């Protein structure tokens, strides 16, 4: 289990500094979450304006 970022992401970058384990980074189209590192805290989802991070 981990969060993942859907295609709804507009690459605003708001989530990146909020992640306590720094597992979010800019991808080619949308931001991406390293599922091996994500601790499912939900902080990214709380700040995302378009609700792109979703629990998988
Ligand atoms: Fe980082 Fe938490 Fe989002 Fe996982 S759920 S990517 S640990 S902010
Ligand atoms: Fe994408 Fe949401 Fe993160 Fe902004 S806060 S980069 S829209 S996932």
């Amino acid at each position: 289990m981990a969060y993942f970022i859907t295609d709804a992401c507009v690459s605003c970058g708001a989530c990146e500094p909020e992640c306590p384990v720094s597992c979010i980074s800019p991808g080619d189209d949308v931001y991406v979450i390293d599922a091996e590192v994500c601790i499912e805290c939900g902080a990214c989802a709380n700040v995302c304006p378009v609700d792109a991070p979703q629990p998988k």
Side-chain angles (χ1 to χ4, degrees), residues 23-34:
C23 68
I24 305 175
S25 59
D28 289 338
D29 295 319
V30 298
Y31 271 56
V32 292
I33 290 171
D34 184 343

Side-chain angles (χ1 to χ4, degrees), residues 2-19:
Y3 272 63
F4 74 104
I5 294 175
T6 70
D7 290 345
C9 174
V10 294
S11 295
C12 71
C15 56
E16 188 176 0
E18 299 300 321
C19 181

Side-chain angles (χ1 to χ4, degrees), residues 3 18-21 23-24 33 37-45:
Y3 272 63
E18 299 300 321
C19 181
V21 292
C23 68
I24 305 175
I33 290 171
V37 182
C38 175
I39 57 171
E40 298 172 65
C41 70
C44 51

